Amino acid sequence: MRGLMPLMQIVRRRAVVTCGWLLFCAVSVPMALTAQRAPASRIAALPCSTSTTSTAATRASRLSALRWKGRDVRWAEWPVQLGARGVSATVIVVDIDPARIALALEIARDGDALAPWSLDDAPKDAVIALNAGQFTDDGPWGWVVHRRREWQAPGVGPLSAAFVIDTSGRASILQADEIGDARRRGGWEEALQSFPLILKDGAMPVGLCTPGAVDLEHRDIRLTLGTLPNGHVLLALTRYAGVGSAGNRLPIGPTTGEMATIMRELGVVRAVMLDGGLSAQMLVRDGSVTTQWSGLRRVPLALVGRRKAELAPAQMNR
């Protein structure tokens, strides 16, 4: 495939953290992706001129056509073929209703210092857990609000966005020029900042189409968070499917434009990418059954969801 070096010489280009040469080694995979029984969908990069209403019927049918699993949060696997070369990938789609699931940041700590987090640290009562935001060597990048306390001021970046949850439990995504006013206004239970924003009102942001803004040709594992018109939160995690389950953590996946198409076809209005690549990891728990897609890097910040009926009164009313 164009742009891919031999596996022993993959370079992972990142906007916040620059990683060195990666050595590919055999890894144990805790959960193999299920067989692709449905035909794979062809995904092309979303053009900058796309109308926000041209495929409304397609987007509505896409969600209903997925084979959903789970009770507390529903999830499905969507096989896709990416770009002109038809790169095989699976999109794990998770639909979360904030009226039933309380989403909150999870900050791992070792005394007074931030500690690394992975799915092994996910709370036992979490029905959804994933890595959150972007990171630097010093910890999370950008705005962090946890339990109504601001832990970190917003970062600066025209393509950044903030995922916020207000004190009523309503979730939304703010674009960069909305974050300042929202911060001054207050009333946020949780907030995390990430980038780039890849969908604004169902279309590619103008800034994303500016030459040099991001590498639009780069392929990688992607983890993206979006909001639906009905107030639900939609997560999409990709896994490479070109060599079966043994390669599903290889850093190969959609380009930024293709990820925008994926989220748009799922009916998302606004979407922002979280940290992807080797950091991308997610867990879904359905009763006693836990399904997880592990990452190869620990992170300082996570997003978890718990059933509201199981939260203690002190947590619900804090």
Side-chain angles (χ1 to χ4, degrees):
M1 294 182 294
R2 186 180 66 181
L4 289 182
M5 294 181 177
L7 289 177
M8 291 295 290
Q9 296 181 326
I10 295 175
V11 173
R12 167 122 154 76
R13 289 176 293 182
R14 298 167 54 91
V16 179
V17 181
T18 301
C19 300
W21 295 95
L22 301 178
L23 297 180
F24 172 67
C25 59
V27 294
S28 60
V29 180
M31 202 283 304
L33 294 176
T34 58
Q36 296 183 8
R37 290 170 291 184
S41 303
R42 279 282 184 176
I43 299 294
L46 187 67
C48 294
S49 59
T50 300
S51 165
T52 59
T53 59
S54 61
T55 59
T58 301
R59 298 199 300 270
S61 63
R62 178 70 66 197
L63 277 176
S64 61
L66 294 178
R67 298 174 180 176
W68 294 102
K69 312 170 190 178
R71 294 167 294 180
D72 295 320
V73 297
R74 63 175 190 161
W75 65 279
E77 292 171 305
W78 177 21
V80 296
Q81 298 287 323
L82 304 168
R85 294 180 179 269
V87 176
S88 295
T90 302
V91 184
I92 300 97
V93 184
V94 180
D95 183 2
I96 302 169
D97 181 0
R100 300 182 59 222
I101 305 299
L103 292 170
L105 296 180
E106 189 82 5
I107 300 175
R109 301 191 67 81
D110 182 5
D112 293 332
L114 286 173
W117 184 96
S118 74
L119 294 182
D120 294 336
D121 303 305
K124 298 301 182 184
D125 60 346
V127 294
I128 180 72
L130 60 145
N131 62 289
Q134 304 283 352
F135 311 105
T136 71
D137 291 338
D138 297 324
W141 176 85
W143 197 23
V144 177
V145 176
H146 181 45
R147 297 183 179 179
R148 305 187 188 181
R149 172 189 167 188
E150 183 175 279
W151 289 63
Q152 193 164 278
V156 177
L159 286 174
S160 67
F163 173 67
V164 295
I165 302 168
D166 65 21
T167 53
S168 71
R170 179 177 176 271
S172 56
I173 293 176
L174 307 175
Q175 62 187 43
D177 60 3
E178 297 170 335
I179 293 175
D181 287 343
R183 185 191 185 203
R184 287 186 289 271
R185 187 167 67 249
W188 306 112
E189 186 77 17
E190 307 281 331
L192 70 91
Q193 192 175 4
S194 191
F195 61 83
L197 183 74
I198 61 171
L199 278 185
K200 175 189 173 183
D201 302 326
M204 287 264 277
V206 173
L208 199 62
C209 301
T210 303
V214 298
D215 184 350
L216 295 178
E217 300 298 322
H218 179 58
R219 296 193 174 278
D220 210 339
I221 297 170
R222 304 294 184 183
L223 177 58
T224 306
L225 183 152
T227 51
L228 295 169
N230 63 1
H232 285 205
V233 174
L234 198 83
L235 303 170
L237 171 68
T238 68
R239 283 294 194 252
Y240 179 57
V243 292
S245 61
N248 66 18
R249 286 194 282 187
L250 290 177
I252 303 171
T255 64
T256 299
E258 289 165 356
M259 199 66 220
T261 297
I262 287 169
M263 296 303 280
R264 188 170 183 269
E265 289 211 9
L266 291 169
V268 167
V269 178
R270 287 190 176 187
V272 60
M273 289 207 286
L274 305 178
D275 194 26
L278 302 182
S279 297
Q281 53 198 288
M282 187 165 65
L283 172 153
V284 177
R285 186 171 286 127
D286 186 27
S288 62
V289 178
T290 299
T291 307
Q292 68 181 52
W293 299 266
S294 298
L296 294 176
R297 179 185 291 116
R298 297 171 71 86
V299 298
L301 190 65
L303 182 66
V304 303
R306 299 175 174 88
R307 292 178 59 195
K308 287 190 173 181
E310 294 180 351
L311 292 176
Q315 290 176 287
M316 289 292 289
N317 300 317
R318 65 174 182 263

